[in-house]
Amino acid sequence: MIKVMTLEEGEAVPLDSGRGEKIRLIDGRLGTDTIDVHHNTLFPGGPPGRYHRHSKSDNVYIVVSGVGQLVADGVPYSVREGQIIFIPAGVPHSLSNPGDEPFRIFEIYAPAGPDFDFVVVEP
């Protein structure tokens, strides 16, 4: 079944450590375990996310607005509006918002469902 939606129709849930909000859009609730799509807003100056990896799932960020700090495989990157970031499965990463404005991205995982994991990695 085709699903057409707006961000307002997604389920909003807080991110860990009060660092922002995630709006769930496409996931198992729509009957798919192959992909997960959500929209994240990271609050200005919030703490970084936990440094982690996904064993089997590739990760894509599509930056909608703001400037973020990505650390991937130990290398820092400044990421900004209009950029698309591909993080292959197994690469440790973390994302934060060191700026003064909200940092907004669409985040995509594939595969999702039972093949998705979140493995915390010591930096």
Side-chain angles (χ1 to χ4, degrees):
M1 170 179 28
I2 300 293
K3 175 74 174 177
V4 178
M5 68 185 86
T6 65
L7 284 178
E8 291 76 23
E9 294 174 84
E11 177 188 352
V13 295
L15 293 173
D16 61 337
S17 303
R19 56 193 278 266
E21 174 184 77
K22 170 170 68 173
I23 299 174
R24 296 174 56 194
L25 299 167
I26 300 168
D27 56 22
R29 295 169 307 138
L30 293 180
T32 181
D33 282 339
T34 59
I35 191 166
D36 182 293
V37 179
H38 49 274
H39 181 271
N40 291 347
T41 299
L42 299 183
F43 300 144
R50 292 179 290 171
Y51 196 57
H52 67 282
R53 64 176 175 77
H54 311 288
S55 301
K56 297 179 182 178
S57 299
D58 294 326
N59 200 185
V60 175
Y61 298 153
I62 301 170
V63 183
V64 177
S65 65
V67 176
Q69 179 74 29
L70 169 69
V71 177
D73 216 8
V75 178
Y77 299 88
S78 180
V79 295
R80 66 185 189 294
E81 180 178 337
Q83 291 183 316
I84 301 166
I85 298 98
F86 171 65
I87 304 169
V91 174
H93 57 281
S94 176
L95 189 62
S96 64
N97 179 0
D100 297 329
E101 299 178 15
F103 177 64
R104 294 183 170 91
I105 64 168
F106 282 97
E107 185 168 17
I108 303 164
Y109 297 112
D115 287 325
F116 180 79
D117 64 1
F118 187 98
V119 180
V120 175
V121 176
E122 294 298 322

